[in-house]
Amino acid sequence: AQSVTQLDSHVSVSEGTPVLLRCNYSSSYSPSLFWYVQHPNKGLQLLLKYTSAATLVKGINGFEAEFKKSETSFHLTKPSAHMSDAAEYFCVVRTQAGTALIFGKGTTLSVSS
Amino acid sequence: NAGVTQTPKFQVLKTGQSMTLQCAQDMNHEYMSWYRQDPGMGLRLIHYSVGAGITDQGEVPNGYNVSRSTTEDFPLRLLSAAPSQTSVYFCASSYSGRTTEAFFGQGTRLTVV
């Protein structure tokens, strides 16, 4: 069965420093992976997706993620954090049939000035 | 273009009451699904549909009922509300296929007392 594990429940950074949110996946097939962001009391917004094209995927707001099959990882990074990046981030994989999504438990990103 | 619309945004129910959470999308998406979000648990799949007249259970289906009579609408019914169903509920829709992104509604915050 497919699954995703977000390795940190909470990450704290200072404004202007790099962001790293870690995600490992488990899948018996070539996965489609996504990162979604949820700002407080809001819905979910797609940051980026990997669908077996380029392994380095660029998303919105300066975020990017690298798919590493050998490490079964799909970590999210950003070179310089902004206060507006404070939110909850979800690593997500589509089911093999593609009919629904499986979510990680989420990582809360805090950004201090 | 409204996207995915959920109603109501907030609801308080008494234990044992029933209600329907509404979800509508105007993107002609084949796939629709319902998730619940609880602190530290990420989003968990309740039910999903791959087209009008076709539904299936997800990870946490007990206590919930769905039907899909049209492509646009996918209501979620709570048959007899319990305090354990206090949660934030999200509806999502997407085109068919494993690589497509899902679009989410703004959520319904449900409290069962």
mmCIF file of all heavy atoms in Angstrom, chain A residues 29-32 34 36 38 41-44 46 49 51 90 94-101 103-105, chain B residues 31-33 35 37 40-43 45 48-50 90 94-95 97-106 109:
data_model
loop_
_atom_site.group_PDB
_atom_site.id
_atom_site.type_symbol
_atom_site.label_atom_id
_atom_site.label_comp_id
_atom_site.label_asym_id
_atom_site.label_seq_id
_atom_site.Cartn_x
_atom_site.Cartn_y
_atom_site.Cartn_z
ATOM 1 N N TYR A 29 4.527 1.403 -7.042
ATOM 2 C CA TYR A 29 4.423 1.835 -8.426
ATOM 3 C C TYR A 29 5.076 3.213 -8.527
ATOM 4 O O TYR A 29 5.468 3.796 -7.515
ATOM 5 C CB TYR A 29 2.951 1.910 -8.842
ATOM 6 C CG TYR A 29 2.129 2.806 -7.945
ATOM 7 C CD1 TYR A 29 1.926 4.153 -8.256
ATOM 8 C CD2 TYR A 29 1.572 2.323 -6.763
ATOM 9 C CE1 TYR A 29 1.207 4.983 -7.418
ATOM 10 C CE2 TYR A 29 0.853 3.152 -5.921
ATOM 11 C CZ TYR A 29 0.670 4.476 -6.256
ATOM 12 O OH TYR A 29 -0.040 5.294 -5.421
ATOM 13 N N SER A 30 5.196 3.723 -9.721
ATOM 14 C CA SER A 30 5.762 5.052 -9.902
ATOM 15 C C SER A 30 4.776 6.083 -9.380
ATOM 16 O O SER A 30 3.691 6.240 -9.935
ATOM 17 C CB SER A 30 6.059 5.295 -11.380
ATOM 18 O OG SER A 30 6.609 6.579 -11.563
ATOM 19 N N PRO A 31 5.118 6.779 -8.304
ATOM 20 C CA PRO A 31 4.109 7.608 -7.634
ATOM 21 C C PRO A 31 3.928 8.980 -8.278
ATOM 22 O O PRO A 31 4.828 9.513 -8.924
ATOM 23 C CB PRO A 31 4.684 7.754 -6.227
ATOM 24 C CG PRO A 31 6.167 7.766 -6.451
ATOM 25 C CD PRO A 31 6.406 6.813 -7.598
ATOM 26 N N SER A 32 2.752 9.538 -8.077
ATOM 27 C CA SER A 32 2.520 10.963 -8.314
ATOM 28 C C SER A 32 2.473 11.621 -6.948
ATOM 29 O O SER A 32 1.653 11.241 -6.101
ATOM 30 C CB SER A 32 1.201 11.187 -9.062
ATOM 31 O OG SER A 32 1.291 10.699 -10.376
ATOM 32 N N PHE A 34 2.677 15.209 -4.420
ATOM 33 C CA PHE A 34 2.267 16.604 -4.362
ATOM 34 C C PHE A 34 2.671 17.194 -3.011
ATOM 35 O O PHE A 34 2.763 16.477 -2.008
ATOM 36 C CB PHE A 34 0.741 16.727 -4.494
ATOM 37 C CG PHE A 34 0.155 16.027 -5.693
ATOM 38 C CD1 PHE A 34 -0.083 14.660 -5.671
ATOM 39 C CD2 PHE A 34 -0.173 16.742 -6.832
ATOM 40 C CE1 PHE A 34 -0.628 14.008 -6.773
ATOM 41 C CE2 PHE A 34 -0.725 16.105 -7.931
ATOM 42 C CZ PHE A 34 -0.951 14.742 -7.902
ATOM 43 N N TYR A 36 1.000 20.289 -0.706
ATOM 44 C CA TYR A 36 -0.058 21.274 -0.538
ATOM 45 C C TYR A 36 0.270 22.125 0.685
ATOM 46 O O TYR A 36 0.877 21.643 1.650
ATOM 47 C CB TYR A 36 -1.416 20.607 -0.322
ATOM 48 C CG TYR A 36 -2.079 20.111 -1.587
ATOM 49 C CD1 TYR A 36 -1.758 18.868 -2.126
ATOM 50 C CD2 TYR A 36 -3.034 20.888 -2.245
ATOM 51 C CE1 TYR A 36 -2.374 18.416 -3.276
ATOM 52 C CE2 TYR A 36 -3.659 20.439 -3.400
ATOM 53 C CZ TYR A 36 -3.329 19.205 -3.910
ATOM 54 O OH TYR A 36 -3.937 18.754 -5.054
ATOM 55 N N GLN A 38 -1.519 24.819 3.639
ATOM 56 C CA GLN A 38 -2.770 25.276 4.250
ATOM 57 C C GLN A 38 -2.446 26.403 5.212
ATOM 58 O O GLN A 38 -1.832 26.172 6.265
ATOM 59 C CB GLN A 38 -3.470 24.133 4.982
ATOM 60 C CG GLN A 38 -4.822 24.532 5.560
ATOM 61 C CD GLN A 38 -5.470 23.395 6.321
ATOM 62 O OE1 GLN A 38 -4.807 22.551 6.919
ATOM 63 N NE2 GLN A 38 -6.791 23.347 6.298
ATOM 64 N N ASN A 41 -6.888 28.488 9.007
ATOM 65 C CA ASN A 41 -8.326 28.615 8.738
ATOM 66 C C ASN A 41 -8.639 28.792 7.252
ATOM 67 O O ASN A 41 -9.626 29.440 6.894
ATOM 68 C CB ASN A 41 -8.920 29.772 9.545
ATOM 69 C CG ASN A 41 -8.758 29.560 11.034
ATOM 70 O OD1 ASN A 41 -9.042 28.480 11.548
ATOM 71 N ND2 ASN A 41 -8.246 30.563 11.721
ATOM 72 N N LYS A 42 -7.798 28.224 6.420
ATOM 73 C CA LYS A 42 -8.010 28.299 4.972
ATOM 74 C C LYS A 42 -8.083 26.903 4.385
ATOM 75 O O LYS A 42 -7.843 25.896 5.060
ATOM 76 C CB LYS A 42 -6.853 29.061 4.307
ATOM 77 C CG LYS A 42 -6.688 30.487 4.774
ATOM 78 C CD LYS A 42 -7.802 31.370 4.257
ATOM 79 C CE LYS A 42 -7.521 32.825 4.589
ATOM 80 N NZ LYS A 42 -8.651 33.696 4.202
ATOM 81 N N GLY A 43 -8.405 26.837 3.095
ATOM 82 C CA GLY A 43 -8.386 25.579 2.374
ATOM 83 C C GLY A 43 -6.976 25.209 1.962
ATOM 84 O O GLY A 43 -5.999 25.825 2.386
ATOM 85 N N LEU A 44 -6.852 24.199 1.116
ATOM 86 C CA LEU A 44 -5.554 23.701 0.693
ATOM 87 C C LEU A 44 -5.220 24.204 -0.702
ATOM 88 O O LEU A 44 -6.067 24.201 -1.594
ATOM 89 C CB LEU A 44 -5.540 22.173 0.702
ATOM 90 C CG LEU A 44 -5.506 21.559 2.088
ATOM 91 C CD1 LEU A 44 -6.909 21.266 2.583
ATOM 92 C CD2 LEU A 44 -4.681 20.285 2.086
ATOM 93 N N LEU A 46 -2.307 23.934 -3.891
ATOM 94 C CA LEU A 46 -1.212 23.156 -4.452
ATOM 95 C C LEU A 46 0.046 24.011 -4.567
ATOM 96 O O LEU A 46 0.020 25.103 -5.126
ATOM 97 C CB LEU A 46 -1.600 22.631 -5.837
ATOM 98 C CG LEU A 46 -0.525 21.807 -6.552
ATOM 99 C CD1 LEU A 46 -0.362 20.458 -5.870
ATOM 100 C CD2 LEU A 46 -0.866 21.639 -8.026
ATOM 101 N N LYS A 49 3.863 19.629 -7.958
ATOM 102 C CA LYS A 49 3.579 18.208 -8.132
ATOM 103 C C LYS A 49 4.686 17.536 -8.937
ATOM 104 O O LYS A 49 5.318 18.162 -9.801
ATOM 105 C CB LYS A 49 2.223 17.980 -8.798
ATOM 106 C CG LYS A 49 2.131 18.455 -10.239
ATOM 107 C CD LYS A 49 0.745 18.114 -10.800
ATOM 108 C CE LYS A 49 0.621 18.526 -12.262
ATOM 109 N NZ LYS A 49 -0.728 18.194 -12.823
ATOM 110 N N THR A 51 5.262 14.198 -11.384
ATOM 111 C CA THR A 51 4.500 13.191 -12.135
ATOM 112 C C THR A 51 5.401 12.414 -13.084
ATOM 113 O O THR A 51 4.984 12.061 -14.173
ATOM 114 C CB THR A 51 3.376 13.864 -12.929
ATOM 115 O OG1 THR A 51 3.958 14.821 -13.817
ATOM 116 C CG2 THR A 51 2.380 14.539 -12.020
ATOM 117 N N PHE A 90 1.525 19.781 3.607
ATOM 118 C CA PHE A 90 1.192 18.366 3.500
ATOM 119 C C PHE A 90 1.871 17.749 2.285
ATOM 120 O O PHE A 90 1.769 18.286 1.171
ATOM 121 C CB PHE A 90 -0.321 18.168 3.363
ATOM 122 C CG PHE A 90 -1.097 18.546 4.586
ATOM 123 C CD1 PHE A 90 -1.738 19.771 4.675
ATOM 124 C CD2 PHE A 90 -1.176 17.683 5.670
ATOM 125 C CE1 PHE A 90 -2.451 20.125 5.798
ATOM 126 C CE2 PHE A 90 -1.892 18.023 6.803
ATOM 127 C CZ PHE A 90 -2.527 19.254 6.868
ATOM 128 N N ARG A 94 -0.931 10.167 -4.723
ATOM 129 C CA ARG A 94 -2.189 9.644 -5.277
ATOM 130 C C ARG A 94 -2.207 8.138 -5.117
ATOM 131 O O ARG A 94 -1.179 7.472 -5.186
ATOM 132 C CB ARG A 94 -2.324 9.995 -6.761
ATOM 133 C CG ARG A 94 -3.103 11.272 -6.965
ATOM 134 C CD ARG A 94 -3.889 11.269 -8.273
ATOM 135 N NE ARG A 94 -4.594 12.522 -8.431
ATOM 136 C CZ ARG A 94 -5.878 12.678 -8.100
ATOM 137 N NH1 ARG A 94 -6.559 11.673 -7.643
ATOM 138 N NH2 ARG A 94 -6.450 13.847 -8.253
ATOM 139 N N THR A 95 -3.408 7.597 -4.919
ATOM 140 C CA THR A 95 -3.559 6.147 -4.875
ATOM 141 C C THR A 95 -3.193 5.558 -6.233
ATOM 142 O O THR A 95 -3.197 6.263 -7.242
ATOM 143 C CB THR A 95 -4.990 5.739 -4.522
ATOM 144 O OG1 THR A 95 -5.871 6.296 -5.504
ATOM 145 C CG2 THR A 95 -5.376 6.257 -3.142
ATOM 146 N N GLN A 96 -2.880 4.272 -6.246
ATOM 147 C CA GLN A 96 -2.435 3.651 -7.496
ATOM 148 C C GLN A 96 -3.479 3.795 -8.599
ATOM 149 O O GLN A 96 -3.152 4.017 -9.757
ATOM 150 C CB GLN A 96 -2.111 2.179 -7.273
ATOM 151 C CG GLN A 96 -1.522 1.503 -8.498
ATOM 152 C CD GLN A 96 -0.972 0.127 -8.205
ATOM 153 O OE1 GLN A 96 -1.128 -0.400 -7.113
ATOM 154 N NE2 GLN A 96 -0.296 -0.468 -9.174
ATOM 155 N N ALA A 97 -4.750 3.675 -8.225
ATOM 156 C CA ALA A 97 -5.813 3.840 -9.213
ATOM 157 C C ALA A 97 -6.027 5.305 -9.569
ATOM 158 O O ALA A 97 -6.730 5.607 -10.540
ATOM 159 C CB ALA A 97 -7.111 3.245 -8.673
ATOM 160 N N GLY A 98 -5.427 6.193 -8.804
ATOM 161 C CA GLY A 98 -5.549 7.618 -9.085
ATOM 162 C C GLY A 98 -6.830 8.250 -8.608
ATOM 163 O O GLY A 98 -7.075 9.424 -8.864
ATOM 164 N N THR A 99 -7.639 7.508 -7.866
ATOM 165 C CA THR A 99 -8.979 7.992 -7.548
ATOM 166 C C THR A 99 -9.027 8.924 -6.354
ATOM 167 O O THR A 99 -10.016 9.635 -6.177
ATOM 168 C CB THR A 99 -9.903 6.798 -7.283
ATOM 169 O OG1 THR A 99 -9.270 5.934 -6.326
ATOM 170 C CG2 THR A 99 -10.160 6.016 -8.558
ATOM 171 N N ALA A 100 -8.001 8.910 -5.508
ATOM 172 C CA ALA A 100 -8.015 9.760 -4.312
ATOM 173 C C ALA A 100 -6.589 10.021 -3.866
ATOM 174 O O ALA A 100 -5.627 9.564 -4.490
ATOM 175 C CB ALA A 100 -8.823 9.097 -3.196
ATOM 176 N N LEU A 101 -6.471 10.792 -2.787
ATOM 177 C CA LEU A 101 -5.165 11.202 -2.275
ATOM 178 C C LEU A 101 -4.921 10.607 -0.896
ATOM 179 O O LEU A 101 -5.851 10.419 -0.113
ATOM 180 C CB LEU A 101 -5.100 12.726 -2.177
ATOM 181 C CG LEU A 101 -5.335 13.510 -3.463
ATOM 182 C CD1 LEU A 101 -5.378 15.002 -3.163
ATOM 183 C CD2 LEU A 101 -4.249 13.200 -4.486
ATOM 184 N N PHE A 103 -2.646 11.504 2.452
ATOM 185 C CA PHE A 103 -1.935 12.630 3.036
ATOM 186 C C PHE A 103 -0.958 12.168 4.105
ATOM 187 O O PHE A 103 -1.229 11.223 4.861
ATOM 188 C CB PHE A 103 -2.933 13.592 3.695
ATOM 189 C CG PHE A 103 -3.644 14.481 2.733
ATOM 190 C CD1 PHE A 103 -4.677 13.987 1.949
ATOM 191 C CD2 PHE A 103 -3.294 15.816 2.615
ATOM 192 C CE1 PHE A 103 -5.341 14.817 1.053
ATOM 193 C CE2 PHE A 103 -3.949 16.641 1.725
ATOM 194 C CZ PHE A 103 -4.969 16.146 0.948
ATOM 195 N N GLY A 104 0.167 12.884 4.199
ATOM 196 C CA GLY A 104 0.973 12.791 5.392
ATOM 197 C C GLY A 104 0.293 13.553 6.525
ATOM 198 O O GLY A 104 -0.718 14.231 6.317
ATOM 199 N N LYS A 105 0.865 13.430 7.728
ATOM 200 C CA LYS A 105 0.226 14.051 8.888
ATOM 201 C C LYS A 105 0.464 15.553 8.966
ATOM 202 O O LYS A 105 -0.134 16.223 9.809
ATOM 203 C CB LYS A 105 0.707 13.370 10.170
ATOM 204 C CG LYS A 105 0.234 11.931 10.286
ATOM 205 C CD LYS A 105 0.488 11.384 11.666
ATOM 206 C CE LYS A 105 0.174 9.916 11.849
ATOM 207 N NZ LYS A 105 -0.936 9.383 11.117
ATOM 208 N N TYR B 31 -13.647 12.977 -10.745
ATOM 209 C CA TYR B 31 -13.377 12.478 -9.400
ATOM 210 C C TYR B 31 -13.771 13.518 -8.347
ATOM 211 O O TYR B 31 -13.457 14.703 -8.473
ATOM 212 C CB TYR B 31 -11.886 12.188 -9.225
ATOM 213 C CG TYR B 31 -11.340 11.030 -10.020
ATOM 214 C CD1 TYR B 31 -9.973 10.757 -10.018
ATOM 215 C CD2 TYR B 31 -12.158 10.206 -10.773
ATOM 216 C CE1 TYR B 31 -9.439 9.696 -10.742
ATOM 217 C CE2 TYR B 31 -11.642 9.139 -11.505
ATOM 218 C CZ TYR B 31 -10.280 8.899 -11.479
ATOM 219 O OH TYR B 31 -9.757 7.846 -12.204
ATOM 220 N N MET B 32 -14.428 13.034 -7.295
ATOM 221 C CA MET B 32 -14.709 13.863 -6.123
ATOM 222 C C MET B 32 -14.486 13.023 -4.875
ATOM 223 O O MET B 32 -14.644 11.790 -4.904
ATOM 224 C CB MET B 32 -16.142 14.419 -6.161
ATOM 225 C CG MET B 32 -16.389 15.365 -7.335
ATOM 226 S SD MET B 32 -18.007 16.146 -7.301
ATOM 227 C CE MET B 32 -17.783 17.369 -5.997
ATOM 228 N N SER B 33 -14.114 13.697 -3.778
ATOM 229 C CA SER B 33 -13.826 12.952 -2.554
ATOM 230 C C SER B 33 -14.064 13.836 -1.345
ATOM 231 O O SER B 33 -14.081 15.064 -1.448
ATOM 232 C CB SER B 33 -12.380 12.435 -2.565
ATOM 233 O OG SER B 33 -11.469 13.457 -2.906
ATOM 234 N N TYR B 35 -12.772 14.384 2.753
ATOM 235 C CA TYR B 35 -11.749 14.127 3.754
ATOM 236 C C TYR B 35 -12.159 14.788 5.063
ATOM 237 O O TYR B 35 -12.872 15.782 5.064
ATOM 238 C CB TYR B 35 -10.403 14.718 3.323
ATOM 239 C CG TYR B 35 -9.875 14.169 2.017
ATOM 240 C CD1 TYR B 35 -10.289 14.693 0.806
ATOM 241 C CD2 TYR B 35 -8.959 13.122 1.998
ATOM 242 C CE1 TYR B 35 -9.815 14.188 -0.399
ATOM 243 C CE2 TYR B 35 -8.476 12.613 0.798
ATOM 244 C CZ TYR B 35 -8.915 13.149 -0.390
ATOM 245 O OH TYR B 35 -8.444 12.641 -1.578
ATOM 246 N N GLN B 37 -10.244 16.411 8.578
ATOM 247 C CA GLN B 37 -8.948 16.839 9.093
ATOM 248 C C GLN B 37 -9.040 16.972 10.594
ATOM 249 O O GLN B 37 -9.848 17.738 11.119
ATOM 250 C CB GLN B 37 -8.520 18.183 8.481
ATOM 251 C CG GLN B 37 -7.157 18.643 8.969
ATOM 252 C CD GLN B 37 -6.715 19.950 8.346
ATOM 253 O OE1 GLN B 37 -7.522 20.738 7.874
ATOM 254 N NE2 GLN B 37 -5.403 20.186 8.329
ATOM 255 N N GLY B 40 -2.994 16.768 14.014
ATOM 256 C CA GLY B 40 -1.953 15.752 14.050
ATOM 257 C C GLY B 40 -2.220 14.523 13.215
ATOM 258 O O GLY B 40 -1.409 13.586 13.216
ATOM 259 N N MET B 41 -3.343 14.514 12.491
ATOM 260 C CA MET B 41 -3.712 13.318 11.705
ATOM 261 C C MET B 41 -3.658 13.552 10.211
ATOM 262 O O MET B 41 -3.888 12.638 9.422
ATOM 263 C CB MET B 41 -5.126 12.865 12.077
ATOM 264 C CG MET B 41 -5.313 12.530 13.534
ATOM 265 S SD MET B 41 -4.393 11.056 13.981
ATOM 266 C CE MET B 41 -5.346 9.805 13.137
ATOM 267 N N GLY B 42 -3.385 14.758 9.777
ATOM 268 C CA GLY B 42 -3.463 15.057 8.352
ATOM 269 C C GLY B 42 -4.913 15.005 7.898
ATOM 270 O O GLY B 42 -5.836 15.215 8.681
ATOM 271 N N LEU B 43 -5.125 14.728 6.616
ATOM 272 C CA LEU B 43 -6.467 14.559 6.084
ATOM 273 C C LEU B 43 -6.676 13.079 5.789
ATOM 274 O O LEU B 43 -5.807 12.438 5.185
ATOM 275 C CB LEU B 43 -6.662 15.369 4.803
ATOM 276 C CG LEU B 43 -7.002 16.851 4.966
ATOM 277 C CD1 LEU B 43 -5.784 17.655 5.386
ATOM 278 C CD2 LEU B 43 -7.595 17.402 3.678
ATOM 279 N N LEU B 45 -9.270 10.090 4.153
ATOM 280 C CA LEU B 45 -10.295 9.911 3.143
ATOM 281 C C LEU B 45 -11.521 9.218 3.729
ATOM 282 O O LEU B 45 -11.417 8.152 4.340
ATOM 283 C CB LEU B 45 -9.724 9.091 1.986
ATOM 284 C CG LEU B 45 -10.652 8.785 0.816
ATOM 285 C CD1 LEU B 45 -11.028 10.080 0.086
ATOM 286 C CD2 LEU B 45 -9.977 7.808 -0.144
ATOM 287 N N TYR B 48 -15.175 8.437 -1.710
ATOM 288 C CA TYR B 48 -14.819 9.069 -2.963
ATOM 289 C C TYR B 48 -15.728 8.575 -4.079
ATOM 290 O O TYR B 48 -16.440 7.560 -3.926
ATOM 291 C CB TYR B 48 -13.352 8.841 -3.308
ATOM 292 C CG TYR B 48 -12.964 7.410 -3.590
ATOM 293 C CD1 TYR B 48 -12.918 6.919 -4.892
ATOM 294 C CD2 TYR B 48 -12.619 6.537 -2.557
ATOM 295 C CE1 TYR B 48 -12.556 5.609 -5.145
ATOM 296 C CE2 TYR B 48 -12.256 5.228 -2.806
ATOM 297 C CZ TYR B 48 -12.219 4.768 -4.094
ATOM 298 O OH TYR B 48 -11.868 3.469 -4.355
ATOM 299 N N SER B 49 -15.694 9.294 -5.197
ATOM 300 C CA SER B 49 -16.533 8.948 -6.343
ATOM 301 C C SER B 49 -15.728 9.177 -7.622
ATOM 302 O O SER B 49 -15.014 10.169 -7.748
ATOM 303 C CB SER B 49 -17.784 9.820 -6.358
ATOM 304 O OG SER B 49 -18.471 9.689 -7.587
ATOM 305 N N VAL B 50 -15.870 8.258 -8.564
ATOM 306 C CA VAL B 50 -15.168 8.390 -9.843
ATOM 307 C C VAL B 50 -16.104 8.817 -10.962
ATOM 308 O O VAL B 50 -15.683 8.914 -12.120
ATOM 309 C CB VAL B 50 -14.419 7.097 -10.216
ATOM 310 C CG1 VAL B 50 -13.349 6.779 -9.173
ATOM 311 C CG2 VAL B 50 -15.382 5.933 -10.381
ATOM 312 N N PHE B 90 -13.310 18.499 4.309
ATOM 313 C CA PHE B 90 -12.940 19.077 3.021
ATOM 314 C C PHE B 90 -13.439 18.202 1.890
ATOM 315 O O PHE B 90 -13.307 16.977 1.922
ATOM 316 C CB PHE B 90 -11.423 19.220 2.896
ATOM 317 C CG PHE B 90 -10.854 20.329 3.723
ATOM 318 C CD1 PHE B 90 -10.314 20.068 4.976
ATOM 319 C CD2 PHE B 90 -10.871 21.635 3.259
ATOM 320 C CE1 PHE B 90 -9.797 21.095 5.750
ATOM 321 C CE2 PHE B 90 -10.357 22.666 4.027
ATOM 322 C CZ PHE B 90 -9.817 22.398 5.269
ATOM 323 N N SER B 94 -11.165 16.488 -8.976
ATOM 324 C CA SER B 94 -10.076 16.487 -9.954
ATOM 325 C C SER B 94 -10.525 15.778 -11.216
ATOM 326 O O SER B 94 -11.522 15.045 -11.222
ATOM 327 C CB SER B 94 -8.833 15.785 -9.385
ATOM 328 O OG SER B 94 -9.060 14.390 -9.277
ATOM 329 N N TYR B 95 -9.780 15.998 -12.290
ATOM 330 C CA TYR B 95 -9.956 15.186 -13.481
ATOM 331 C C TYR B 95 -9.469 13.777 -13.171
ATOM 332 O O TYR B 95 -8.728 13.553 -12.219
ATOM 333 C CB TYR B 95 -9.177 15.769 -14.657
ATOM 334 C CG TYR B 95 -9.759 17.050 -15.186
ATOM 335 C CD1 TYR B 95 -9.070 18.256 -15.077
ATOM 336 C CD2 TYR B 95 -11.010 17.084 -15.804
ATOM 337 C CE1 TYR B 95 -9.596 19.442 -15.552
ATOM 338 C CE2 TYR B 95 -11.550 18.270 -16.277
ATOM 339 C CZ TYR B 95 -10.844 19.437 -16.147
ATOM 340 O OH TYR B 95 -11.369 20.598 -16.623
ATOM 341 N N GLY B 97 -7.248 10.346 -13.578
ATOM 342 C CA GLY B 97 -5.833 10.143 -13.878
ATOM 343 C C GLY B 97 -4.973 10.330 -12.653
ATOM 344 O O GLY B 97 -5.316 11.083 -11.741
ATOM 345 N N ARG B 98 -3.799 9.661 -12.661
ATOM 346 C CA ARG B 98 -2.947 9.665 -11.465
ATOM 347 C C ARG B 98 -2.119 10.916 -11.341
ATOM 348 O O ARG B 98 -1.556 11.165 -10.273
ATOM 349 C CB ARG B 98 -2.034 8.444 -11.473
ATOM 350 C CG ARG B 98 -2.730 7.188 -11.025
ATOM 351 C CD ARG B 98 -1.776 6.191 -10.400
ATOM 352 N NE ARG B 98 -0.765 5.736 -11.320
ATOM 353 C CZ ARG B 98 0.539 5.911 -11.106
ATOM 354 N NH1 ARG B 98 0.982 6.532 -10.042
ATOM 355 N NH2 ARG B 98 1.405 5.457 -11.988
ATOM 356 N N THR B 99 -2.003 11.710 -12.403
ATOM 357 C CA THR B 99 -1.099 12.847 -12.312
ATOM 358 C C THR B 99 -1.813 14.168 -12.091
ATOM 359 O O THR B 99 -1.177 15.205 -12.015
ATOM 360 C CB THR B 99 -0.266 12.943 -13.606
ATOM 361 O OG1 THR B 99 -1.149 13.178 -14.704
ATOM 362 C CG2 THR B 99 0.519 11.651 -13.837
ATOM 363 N N THR B 100 -3.120 14.116 -11.998
ATOM 364 C CA THR B 100 -3.858 15.380 -11.920
ATOM 365 C C THR B 100 -3.914 15.905 -10.493
ATOM 366 O O THR B 100 -4.022 15.140 -9.534
ATOM 367 C CB THR B 100 -5.281 15.212 -12.449
ATOM 368 O OG1 THR B 100 -5.966 14.246 -11.646
ATOM 369 C CG2 THR B 100 -5.274 14.747 -13.887
ATOM 370 N N GLU B 101 -3.872 17.216 -10.357
ATOM 371 C CA GLU B 101 -3.990 17.818 -9.034
ATOM 372 C C GLU B 101 -5.450 17.866 -8.607
ATOM 373 O O GLU B 101 -6.357 17.854 -9.436
ATOM 374 C CB GLU B 101 -3.428 19.232 -9.055
ATOM 375 C CG GLU B 101 -4.270 20.205 -9.860
ATOM 376 C CD GLU B 101 -3.682 21.584 -9.908
ATOM 377 O OE1 GLU B 101 -4.013 22.399 -9.027
ATOM 378 O OE2 GLU B 101 -2.902 21.849 -10.840
ATOM 379 N N ALA B 102 -5.658 17.902 -7.308
ATOM 380 C CA ALA B 102 -6.999 18.028 -6.756
ATOM 381 C C ALA B 102 -7.228 19.465 -6.310
ATOM 382 O O ALA B 102 -6.319 20.148 -5.853
ATOM 383 C CB ALA B 102 -7.181 17.078 -5.580
ATOM 384 N N PHE B 103 -8.479 19.904 -6.448
ATOM 385 C CA PHE B 103 -8.888 21.231 -6.000
ATOM 386 C C PHE B 103 -9.794 21.049 -4.784
ATOM 387 O O PHE B 103 -10.669 20.175 -4.784
ATOM 388 C CB PHE B 103 -9.640 21.965 -7.120
ATOM 389 C CG PHE B 103 -8.774 22.281 -8.300
ATOM 390 C CD1 PHE B 103 -8.536 21.329 -9.284
ATOM 391 C CD2 PHE B 103 -8.191 23.529 -8.441
ATOM 392 C CE1 PHE B 103 -7.734 21.604 -10.380
ATOM 393 C CE2 PHE B 103 -7.388 23.820 -9.530
ATOM 394 C CZ PHE B 103 -7.159 22.857 -10.492
ATOM 395 N N PHE B 104 -9.574 21.882 -3.786
ATOM 396 C CA PHE B 104 -10.280 21.721 -2.508
ATOM 397 C C PHE B 104 -11.237 22.874 -2.261
ATOM 398 O O PHE B 104 -10.984 24.019 -2.649
ATOM 399 C CB PHE B 104 -9.275 21.660 -1.354
ATOM 400 C CG PHE B 104 -8.522 20.369 -1.296
ATOM 401 C CD1 PHE B 104 -7.417 20.153 -2.094
ATOM 402 C CD2 PHE B 104 -8.947 19.344 -0.450
ATOM 403 C CE1 PHE B 104 -6.728 18.943 -2.059
ATOM 404 C CE2 PHE B 104 -8.272 18.142 -0.406
ATOM 405 C CZ PHE B 104 -7.166 17.936 -1.212
ATOM 406 N N GLY B 105 -12.336 22.534 -1.575
ATOM 407 C CA GLY B 105 -13.209 23.558 -1.042
ATOM 408 C C GLY B 105 -12.590 24.208 0.184
ATOM 409 O O GLY B 105 -11.512 23.805 0.647
ATOM 410 N N GLN B 106 -13.308 25.185 0.741
ATOM 411 C CA GLN B 106 -12.778 25.940 1.878
ATOM 412 C C GLN B 106 -13.002 25.232 3.208
ATOM 413 O O GLN B 106 -12.516 25.688 4.234
ATOM 414 C CB GLN B 106 -13.417 27.327 1.918
ATOM 415 C CG GLN B 106 -12.928 28.238 0.795
ATOM 416 C CD GLN B 106 -11.434 28.474 0.876
ATOM 417 O OE1 GLN B 106 -10.914 29.022 1.834
ATOM 418 N NE2 GLN B 106 -10.701 28.042 -0.149
ATOM 419 N N ARG B 109 -16.405 23.387 9.165
ATOM 420 C CA ARG B 109 -16.015 23.074 10.550
ATOM 421 C C ARG B 109 -17.257 22.619 11.298
ATOM 422 O O ARG B 109 -18.184 23.388 11.495
ATOM 423 C CB ARG B 109 -15.399 24.296 11.228
ATOM 424 C CG ARG B 109 -14.864 24.014 12.626
ATOM 425 C CD ARG B 109 -14.130 25.226 13.186
ATOM 426 N NE ARG B 109 -12.923 25.530 12.442
ATOM 427 C CZ ARG B 109 -11.743 24.983 12.673
ATOM 428 N NH1 ARG B 109 -11.589 24.081 13.638
ATOM 429 N NH2 ARG B 109 -10.686 25.334 11.951
#
